[in-house]
Amino acid sequence: TVLFNFLSKLGLKEFYPNKITLQSLLEINKNSLSDETVQSVEEIPWCFLRKLFKINADCRSCAQLSSDDDEEDENDDPFSQDLYTAGDSADDNVNPLDLIVALFLCADGSLQQEMALKMSMCQFSVPLLLPDGHNSQCTLMLWALRDIVKEWRPHDLSESRGFVEDNIVQADIPFFSFVRLKNCSLSKSQCLNHVLSLGQQHHNIVIHRKMKGGANARKIANGLVEVCWFLPCGNRNLDTFSKPVAFANLRGDICESLKQFSFLCQVSTATFVFLDKVEENEHKILTSLQDVKSKLFLVVNHKADNAKEDMKSVKATKEELDLPNSNVKIKDSTVNVAEFSEKLCQLIKKSMTVGTAKISIENMVAKAAELGLSVDEGTSDRQKKAAKEIIDGIGVRSIPDYKKQQLPLQGENWKRLSQLEREECRLKKAEDQRLEEYKSQLQEEKQQIKKKLCKHKQSGAMKSFIKHLSESDKEKRDFFLNWMKIKLNAHLRFACQLSLLRHKLAEHGNNKEKDVKERAELDQALVESSLGIEHYMREMGLIYEFSSQSEDPADKVSDLPGLAAEMLLDGHPLELLDGDASNIPERWLTDVLMELHRKVGQKSKLLVLTVLGVQSSGKSTLLNTMFGVQFPVSSGRCTRGAYMLFLRMGEDIREELNYDFIVLIDTEGLKCQELAQLEDSYEHDNELATFVIGLSDITIINVSMENSTEMKDVLQIAAHAFLRMKEIGKKPVCHFVHQNVGGVSAHAKTMTERKYLLDQLNQMTQIAAEMESRPLIKSFTDVLDYDIQKNNWNIPGLWNGTPPMAPVNKGYSEAVADFKKNLLETVKGDRSDELSQIPEFLEWMKSLWKAVKYENFIFSFRNTLIAHAYDNLCKEFNQWEWEFRKEILTWQKAAELEIFNTDNRSELHYVKQLADFKKSKLPKEIEVQQTTMTEKLKKYYKRKDRHVHLIEKYKTDFLNSVISLAKEIQHSVSNKLDCALEQWKSSKEAQVIQRKHREVIQEQVMKLLSDCKHRTLSDEELTQEFEKMWTEVTADVSGLKEQDIAASILQQLRKKFENRKLEEEWQKIKDLNEIGKGAFKYNIQKELLLKEDFKSFVKYICKYEIYVKDWIFQHLQQKMSEDKTLCKLKNKTLQVIVQKITEATEKASKGEDGAQLPDDKESITVLINNMREYLIKDILISEDAEQTTMFQIQSTCHPFTKSLIKSLSDLNEQLQEEFSNSEDITETLNKLPIKPQDELFKQVFGCGQQCPFCKVPCEAGGKRHKKHHAAVHRPKGLGRCRYEDTEKLVPTLCTTSVHSECKFRNTYTKWNWHPYKEYTTYYPDWQIPPDSSIEASDYWKYVLVKYNDRFAQEYKAKPADVPEAWRRITKEQALKGLKDAFNIM
């Protein structure tokens, strides 16, 4: 058929009928970023839709292929007929009307609505009756037009500046139809355009034959009836008509579309029939309309050719219909179309008398059914009925009353809960109460409110709402939600007169003299009278938020997050921040988004984009135009807070951009200056801006250069928020959009304005920096990467003329499209896979929201992602530090050994030179390791995983710590080398004495041997002779003790292998790098609690370093005793030494030529000298020891070597057996030159500073951090703090005090009272954020309660007055709080 052939040509056959979804059009893909040139017929529909969704009024020109043939060949014959006929018959030409009909036939209900809405914004006519393409049936497009809401100002409201807002299908207005006969040379569509555009810039609302593509033969559009509207603006000089008028236009002649013609005649106020002449069959059709003949007007185009015959046929029809002369209008050839259209206007005005029939499109349904036309709403009757029942339930009640009864959870209790949570953070109303007691009272009230909220049963309206959302498939759900919106809006328009409230609010805005309070009351009344889908969705979220695990399964509350996740994926917005209560339902949002995360297979990398600006600055319109979405756009501030909407990334662009979704966040407008004085409005806006900017990757700020006061207000809020983000490690991209800036020279002209903007930003940044105590920040570029050229966008005005008849400015659409393309281009490959998944987004959301509730945001911000990232870096840093130390330690040992192995006969100055030489080499060795460690740190910061970008601000601290470490190690090693020199000097002196006595002893021994040669002595006599000689010889040697030589050798070996290897191995016993500081502190405190020993608590609090070193030592002993760990370590090291000696012996037994040494006595000296050389780096063998060994050896080299290897083997076995039997671990650990407990302590101890209030130790990484911090602080009484007057220990946590109105005094303040809030005045190096949760400090609360009396006794004070709630904390709760505080999974 013709329809299928045409759909095939456009590539739409597979989508017929109604298979193109709205969601598929909103997906971000390469096509949505490409330029809109059309290369093939199949691309035409998609190009049209993309442009339409950008509200680009040029979209209808997409129906023609982009041609390269525009530049004609200079040699072409200008008179050749081929030039003018070839194009007409080309198969690629598409009439825009055919394209529109085809797309409406292929679009689903939601997409049809969106297309009609966007076409209406472009001021295009929209389908009223849609032919099915076979011309056998057509459909009344009531549903498709349901979403179109228009505003206008009738002339009778001009003076009062009032306006009317109505859904266009429900508006009762005059309805005029334009139709034509077969013979009609005057374009009725052109006339209609002139009628609609009189008084304003001409715009082609209706497609006509003189437009691009309009002359192409129509394939499927005949029988289409379009509708468009004239809407007055209230200006008599611009308005053609004083009231709204609807115009219908039938495509094709009436003979081809009799049903449509009959329908139009029945429903129209008047029908204008355009004709040249009347043929016989047309005469019959027209004369059959006797019942509506008074509404019939004939518009005749008088032509010179055959004019007499033509006019005769017209006259006959006129007379048979008995039409008055005023109902016939003849256009003479001397009158052009524009002039003739003015006459038509006069005719239309005359027919719009007081008694003129009016009709709404909604009321045309009965007539359509009577004539056999179908209606597109037929499939949604059930959903319509359900929505009607819910809205009818409002009845005559006021909206506030209805919300209290049917949407009770979002009432006063929810708002009170929000206030309590804020007060819990700010403690402004504590007055003279004890802070912890006051906090407990707030907690108690919160629990009571939550219990009340949990007891609420679902209201009838909510049960019905949830039931119809849950039971329906996507299409039915969309129908239901749309019907809800339509019915709600209708009720609100007529029952609550919302538009009147908005009008009053606007009047107050224009009159600055009016009472500010009155304006605020109007604003509040508007909020309270608002009721939309968002309120029902909010209630649904709160039903889940306050539902218990034991909820009745029949209520299916547990299914709600899954349902909301599906709706998000379907393109519905979800409330992120309830602006009425200034609160976030965290449980609800978390479960909804985690459900979405699961539904998309954990592939949820998010690019978050937010628009901020003052009220009515075009924020929502900007987002809607940019992404084709439909955030509510209203002239009044009805809904507060922030909404998010998810847009999928297409497969073709997902990898390139590295995101799965774009999340759009639309916020309420920031309040104007006059209202900023009320209800902490500035604070509210500041919180909102901080929250959404903190969640966003890209922030767009709408600024208006015309209103400098308004602009400054917005910039100050933005500068404040960006400064806060910088301080917590978030780096959003910021773009400033200047709307209503047009003209080709706008960019150049606004350079001055942009420089002015930057000046303002710098000024606002300095103010914000002062408020946030950040004196080093002087300009906006200190906070953000900001380019005056790249980060500013000029967008022309939205309307091309005066609304409501003005179309959207094509320049607006193009500028926004260009802006969008640039935004997405700049994010390509910016971030890694890990950084923007839904779980991380939720973590940020919770952390931001918690910090926002405190007055000092920067010092209140805590985030587990940052904590984990920081902990990961600390682990790595500790590992690098150990590698640094190990390398230098190895170098140090070799240097020491070289000094020790210097011949004792050498001069002192030579050895001193050697020591100095080694010390001069030390800085180079240190520098190499320092550079390596610094490079590792820099490389770590370039990583794209582990959330490294969140801890950028700590980079300088760690770099400084590397420098500090290098200085510390250099100092230590330099001292060790000095000690080695001193040891060598002492050794030399001792060995001079030894050598002297050894020579005497050797001489006497040789004399004894000589004497005994000639005498036969028994062993006993020989021993007596030796003892006598020995006593005489050593009589002059002081301090000489008998030694066990074998034991000495064993001792030397033990010393060597212990020192050589054990210090490297001990860290493998319990690698603290693997558990981190947090887990270490958790384990130590957990053991303390379970041990229940008060003295241990006191030691931990008051002598932290000693306690922790002892704890580590005990755990090392315990670990080493498991599975004979120490024995295994010793054996492993022994085998290394034995192997080295064996290898050295084997090498030493050969000469330089590789041959075995001769088997003579002299070779033994060569062997030992060689061994000494080979083992110089491992074992110290002095020349004196060598000479002692050589004394009176009678053996030759080969037997000596075998004996040595045998002795080594025996010694190995003997030592192994001794290790197996030895259990003295303590002795071994104590002998190590580097104590493992000290080294491990360094890795978990931090810098050693303690909190000035509660004495908890600092946990920051490295030694040179700028800020000290700890995960969990304690009640100050545990740090010996007491009240001056009562001597009682203070139960308040310092994390509570620093956010309260309380004061302190001590020696630092010179005993003057000072606010806790400003503790950084005296302790600028400490950062004390609030506890991560109320439960985080349960551990120390429990400890204080349990040992209150004993701590008082220990500290010579009186017991603390602890809150009653603390006494209910169990040991299990204390442990859980500790676990949560240190993020232990």
Side-chain angles (χ1 to χ4, degrees), residues 2 108 228 335 426 431 489 508 521 901 958 1384:
V2 174
D108 70 359
C228 50
V335 178
R426 299 178 184 182
E431 295 172 351
N489 288 344
H508 273 266
E521 285 170 0
N901 276 329
F958 281 98
I1384 306 297

Side-chain angles (χ1 to χ4, degrees), residues 1117-1129:
Q1117 289 178 304
Q1118 183 185 334
K1119 189 70 181 174
M1120 283 185 159
S1121 62
E1122 290 173 9
D1123 302 325
K1124 296 202 170 182
T1125 304
L1126 183 61
C1127 174
K1128 288 174 184 173
L1129 263 175

